[in-house]
Amino acid sequence: MVSGVQPTGYLHIGNYLGALRQWVLHQEQYENLFFVVDLHAITVPQDPKGLAEATLSAAALFLACGIDPSKSTIFIQSHVKAHVELCWLLNCVTPVNWLEKMIQFKEKARKQGENVSVGLFDYPVLMASDVLLYQADLVPVGEDQQQHLELVRSISKRFNSLYGKKKRILKEPKPLIQGNTSRIMALDDGTSKMSKSSTNDMSRINILDPPNTIQRKIQRCKTDSLMGIVSDPVGRPECTNLLNIYAAFTNQSLTQAEAECREMSWGQFKRVLTDALTTSLEPIQRKYHELRKDEDFLRQILKNGSDYASSIAQVTMQQVKDCMGFIPIH
Ligand code: ADP
């Protein structure tokens, strides 16, 4: 199983519930590779110092959230050169019109206008190489990535039909979508996804937000004027989203959380939600700050991870290059 997070800012509870927490749950079940996708981050402009800090911070958060390096491989994408190499080879088998259909590109390109980079357009092919390089069976993704994963499968299929003859060279991975937490919505708008890239920090709870910031954000988040805290995705998107977050952080189903909160006022509900968030995030934050004090330790884990990942990646690269007709070094 492979998955990644972009170091484009502070990781938020959407990343935690939709990705990191799921990764931890799957640690025992699969062989996992989790990486900080710094090469993806630069598809939109990044401040170099900010990128370096966000990369280390994301890696430390993987560990703080419970990823155990003795069970899972953790590394930084750019440390394994094969990601870029395979990306180029796959670029040459991917039709342009497949990429033109990607909703995320269209949305981001609309925001950026003429400054949009070739890298942003090509992002899904790099993602394909991230996954296919390790012959992954499963990719745990939030709903937002489903279209990209479909593309990964199409690229794999096309590569195999062009070069595999009767052999399958690349696997076709499947998405692992997790129910209610696959799409946590923004605090200022229950119809748009909570995201690192939003300019409004009040739209998200970052994993590292201190208790008073969490309290302030929940205090000011968008609500409605209706009575009772119930799930109604169409009529009450903000209420549904907050209830969903509460359910996730108290390890309840949505129905259980609804039964608990149905009669609460907004004031009461915001208090229990704030408590659930601060108590759940406190141990993660403590672990994170400990890890950041010992950068050598963190870097050693990342080095071990990239060494191991490179060894797997090389096997795939060799097979891919052989069947495409590249001559190996004598
Ligand atoms: P972002 O969109 O915040 O920049 P990434 O693209 O780095 O996040 O995504 C990292 C992982 O977190 C992916 O598996 C993605 O599907 C998941 N994810 C991101 N945002 C959310 C969200 N709001 N709800 C659930 N999962 C999310």
Side-chain angles (χ1 to χ4, degrees):
M1 182 163 96
V2 303
S3 197
V5 169
Q6 293 194 64
T8 45
Y10 297 109
L11 268 64
H12 50 75
I13 56 169
N15 298 128
Y16 176 65
L17 297 176
L20 294 168
R21 195 169 83 157
Q22 304 298 325
W23 299 357
V24 174
L25 294 176
H26 295 306
Q27 272 194 123
E28 310 290 338
Q29 215 175 339
Y30 305 110
E31 186 186 351
N32 303 297
L33 293 119
F34 299 127
F35 38 102
V36 184
V37 291
D38 51 351
L39 295 168
H40 283 279
I42 60 158
T43 53
V44 294
Q46 298 294 332
D47 157 57
K49 266 201 197 132
L51 180 69
E53 167 57 24
T55 302
L56 284 177
S57 164
L61 269 178
F62 285 12
L63 297 171
C65 288
I67 305 291
D68 176 351
S70 71
K71 295 180 185 150
S72 305
T73 303
I74 306 176
F75 63 99
I76 294 171
Q77 182 191 27
S78 64
H79 290 180
V80 181
K81 309 265 183 292
H83 287 255
V84 178
E85 193 178 7
L86 183 60
C87 177
W88 176 253
L89 304 182
L90 296 179
N91 273 337
C92 297
V93 303
T94 307
V96 168
N97 69 351
W98 287 8
L99 298 183
E100 283 169 346
K101 289 186 194 133
M102 295 297 115
I103 295 163
Q104 211 175 69
F105 172 73
K106 287 196 225 168
E107 281 174 359
K108 287 193 181 170
R110 193 162 20 85
K111 284 189 203 145
Q112 286 189 41
E114 288 190 351
N115 283 334
V116 65
S117 69
V118 174
L120 189 66
F121 184 64
D122 200 29
Y123 174 114
V125 184
L126 182 59
M127 177 171 159
S129 99
D130 296 340
V131 173
L132 301 177
L133 202 48
Y134 302 106
Q135 305 285 12
D137 295 294
L138 286 172
V139 183
V141 287
E143 228 173 56
D144 57 317
Q145 291 290 341
Q146 278 191 65
Q147 193 192 23
H148 285 166
L149 199 69
E150 254 330 293
L151 182 86
V152 174
R153 290 165 58 81
S154 303
I155 293 175
S156 170
K157 219 180 279 175
R158 188 170 165 97
F159 185 90
N160 289 334
S161 79
L162 287 172
Y163 294 107
K165 307 239 166 60
K166 293 201 170 71
K167 245 176 78 196
R168 186 194 66 185
I169 309 289
L170 298 171
K171 270 193 186 171
E172 268 178 58
K174 292 197 175 68
L176 194 73
I177 306 277
Q178 50 277 326
N180 291 334
T181 55
S182 68
R183 200 166 159 83
I184 300 297
M185 309 312 269
L187 297 183
D188 57 345
D189 174 6
T191 59
S192 68
K193 201 188 77 145
M194 185 178 287
S195 168
K196 291 191 236 94
S197 54
S198 164
T199 48
N200 180 11
D201 191 56
M202 295 299 280
S203 69
R204 61 186 161 252
I205 304 276
N206 301 309
I207 302 177
L208 295 174
D209 278 344
N212 56 352
T213 307
I214 296 177
Q215 190 192 17
R216 191 159 40 88
K217 287 180 175 178
I218 295 296
Q219 220 22 272
R220 303 216 184 136
C221 71
K222 187 170 174 195
T223 56
D224 55 36
S225 52
L226 299 172
M227 294 286 286
I229 306 299
V230 291
S231 167
D232 173 5
V234 180
R236 303 184 65 189
E238 284 79 21
C239 184
T240 307
N241 182 45
L242 294 172
L243 191 61
N244 195 20
I245 294 173
Y246 180 69
F249 276 99
T250 51
N251 297 311
Q252 302 186 75
S253 68
L254 194 56
T255 322
Q256 286 168 328
E258 199 173 36
E260 184 194 329
C261 306
R262 176 179 290 281
E263 305 295 333
M264 289 183 187
S265 66
W266 271 111
Q268 282 170 313
F269 176 64
K270 283 185 170 184
R271 270 194 296 281
V272 293
L273 176 60
T274 304
D275 278 352
L277 284 164
T278 47
T279 43
S280 307
L281 295 177
E282 192 274 331
I284 297 175
Q285 296 175 353
R286 196 164 7 97
K287 185 91 200 292
Y288 171 85
H289 293 299
E290 274 166 30
L291 283 159
R292 289 308 307 266
K293 281 190 205 135
D294 190 354
E295 205 165 296
D296 286 347
F297 173 72
L298 181 60
R299 285 184 184 254
Q300 189 58 49
I301 288 174
L302 294 170
K303 161 97 174 56
N304 296 347
S306 63
D307 285 349
Y308 179 67
S310 295
S311 71
I312 307 177
Q314 274 324 309
V315 177
T316 308
M317 277 317 294
Q318 205 49 57
Q319 289 167 345
V320 165
K321 287 169 95 176
D322 284 350
C323 73
M324 290 181 90
F326 288 95
I327 294 178
I329 300 176
H330 188 54

Short mmCIF file of all heavy atoms in Angstrom, two decimals, residues 18 21 34 45 47-48 119 174 179-180 187 237 239 256 267 275 319 329:
data_model
loop_
_atom_site.label_atom_id
_atom_site.label_comp_id
_atom_site.label_asym_id
_atom_site.label_seq_id
_atom_site.Cartn_x
_atom_site.Cartn_y
_atom_site.Cartn_z
N GLY A 18 -8.48 11.58 6.97
CA GLY A 18 -8.61 10.97 5.65
C GLY A 18 -7.38 10.17 5.24
O GLY A 18 -7.46 9.29 4.39
N ARG A 21 -4.49 8.79 9.90
CA ARG A 21 -5.10 7.86 10.86
C ARG A 21 -5.46 6.53 10.20
O ARG A 21 -5.35 5.48 10.82
CB ARG A 21 -6.34 8.49 11.51
CG ARG A 21 -6.76 7.73 12.76
CD ARG A 21 -7.78 8.48 13.54
NE ARG A 21 -9.12 8.28 13.01
CZ ARG A 21 -10.24 8.44 13.73
NH1 ARG A 21 -10.16 8.84 14.99
NH2 ARG A 21 -11.41 8.25 13.20
N PHE A 34 4.90 5.13 2.92
CA PHE A 34 4.26 6.44 3.06
C PHE A 34 5.31 7.51 2.83
O PHE A 34 6.41 7.43 3.40
CB PHE A 34 3.68 6.60 4.47
CG PHE A 34 2.63 5.57 4.79
CD1 PHE A 34 2.74 4.80 5.94
CD2 PHE A 34 1.54 5.37 3.96
CE1 PHE A 34 1.78 3.84 6.25
CE2 PHE A 34 0.57 4.42 4.26
CZ PHE A 34 0.70 3.66 5.41
N PRO A 45 3.91 27.41 -6.89
CA PRO A 45 5.11 28.06 -6.34
C PRO A 45 5.26 27.84 -4.83
O PRO A 45 4.29 27.91 -4.09
CB PRO A 45 4.86 29.54 -6.64
CG PRO A 45 3.85 29.57 -7.73
CD PRO A 45 3.02 28.35 -7.57
N ASP A 47 7.95 28.67 -1.36
CA ASP A 47 9.12 29.35 -0.81
C ASP A 47 10.09 28.25 -0.38
O ASP A 47 9.69 27.33 0.35
CB ASP A 47 8.66 30.20 0.38
CG ASP A 47 9.78 30.49 1.32
OD1 ASP A 47 10.78 31.05 0.86
OD2 ASP A 47 9.69 30.12 2.52
N PRO A 48 11.37 28.27 -0.86
CA PRO A 48 12.29 27.16 -0.57
C PRO A 48 12.43 26.83 0.92
O PRO A 48 12.41 25.65 1.31
CB PRO A 48 13.62 27.64 -1.16
CG PRO A 48 13.21 28.59 -2.24
CD PRO A 48 11.96 29.26 -1.77
N GLY A 119 4.23 21.37 -14.83
CA GLY A 119 4.27 20.42 -13.71
C GLY A 119 2.88 20.16 -13.13
O GLY A 119 2.55 19.02 -12.80
N LYS A 174 -5.80 -0.51 -6.64
CA LYS A 174 -7.20 -0.17 -6.33
C LYS A 174 -7.24 0.91 -5.25
O LYS A 174 -6.37 0.95 -4.38
CB LYS A 174 -7.92 -1.40 -5.78
CG LYS A 174 -8.11 -2.50 -6.80
CD LYS A 174 -9.18 -3.47 -6.29
CE LYS A 174 -9.51 -4.51 -7.32
NZ LYS A 174 -8.43 -5.44 -7.60
N GLY A 179 -15.16 5.47 4.39
CA GLY A 179 -16.47 6.09 4.62
C GLY A 179 -16.50 7.58 4.90
O GLY A 179 -16.11 8.41 4.07
N ASN A 180 -16.95 7.91 6.09
CA ASN A 180 -17.29 9.30 6.41
C ASN A 180 -16.12 10.27 6.49
O ASN A 180 -16.32 11.47 6.46
CB ASN A 180 -18.03 9.35 7.75
CG ASN A 180 -19.39 8.73 7.64
OD1 ASN A 180 -19.97 8.71 6.56
ND2 ASN A 180 -19.90 8.20 8.74
N LEU A 187 -14.18 24.70 7.61
CA LEU A 187 -14.97 25.25 8.72
C LEU A 187 -15.77 26.48 8.29
O LEU A 187 -16.73 26.85 8.94
CB LEU A 187 -14.03 25.66 9.88
CG LEU A 187 -13.22 24.55 10.56
CD1 LEU A 187 -12.42 25.14 11.71
CD2 LEU A 187 -14.11 23.42 11.04
N PRO A 237 -25.00 21.37 5.61
CA PRO A 237 -23.66 20.81 5.37
C PRO A 237 -22.65 21.11 6.48
O PRO A 237 -21.85 20.24 6.85
CB PRO A 237 -23.22 21.48 4.05
CG PRO A 237 -24.13 22.64 3.85
CD PRO A 237 -25.41 22.31 4.55
N CYS A 239 -23.28 21.67 9.74
CA CYS A 239 -23.64 20.88 10.92
C CYS A 239 -23.21 19.42 10.72
O CYS A 239 -22.61 18.80 11.60
CB CYS A 239 -25.14 21.00 11.14
SG CYS A 239 -25.72 20.20 12.62
N GLN A 256 -24.20 7.18 16.19
CA GLN A 256 -23.99 7.28 17.64
C GLN A 256 -23.78 8.73 18.07
O GLN A 256 -24.34 9.19 19.06
CB GLN A 256 -22.76 6.45 18.05
CG GLN A 256 -22.99 4.95 18.03
CD GLN A 256 -21.68 4.18 18.16
OE1 GLN A 256 -20.62 4.62 17.70
NE2 GLN A 256 -21.75 3.02 18.79
N GLY A 267 -23.91 26.03 21.32
CA GLY A 267 -22.90 26.35 22.34
C GLY A 267 -22.39 25.08 23.02
O GLY A 267 -21.18 24.88 23.16
N ASP A 275 -13.35 20.08 23.09
CA ASP A 275 -12.71 19.15 24.03
C ASP A 275 -12.19 17.91 23.32
O ASP A 275 -11.07 17.46 23.55
CB ASP A 275 -13.72 18.67 25.10
CG ASP A 275 -13.85 19.69 26.21
OD1 ASP A 275 -13.05 20.65 26.20
OD2 ASP A 275 -14.76 19.53 27.05
N GLN A 319 12.63 -3.52 -15.00
CA GLN A 319 11.65 -4.23 -15.84
C GLN A 319 11.06 -3.29 -16.89
O GLN A 319 10.92 -3.64 -18.06
CB GLN A 319 10.51 -4.79 -14.97
CG GLN A 319 10.94 -5.94 -14.10
CD GLN A 319 9.90 -6.26 -13.02
OE1 GLN A 319 9.01 -5.47 -12.75
NE2 GLN A 319 10.03 -7.43 -12.40
N ILE A 329 23.49 -0.30 -18.53
CA ILE A 329 24.93 0.03 -18.47
C ILE A 329 25.72 -1.26 -18.57
O ILE A 329 25.35 -2.25 -17.92
CB ILE A 329 25.27 0.77 -17.16
CG1 ILE A 329 24.47 2.06 -17.06
CG2 ILE A 329 26.76 1.04 -17.04
CD1 ILE A 329 24.65 2.81 -15.75
#
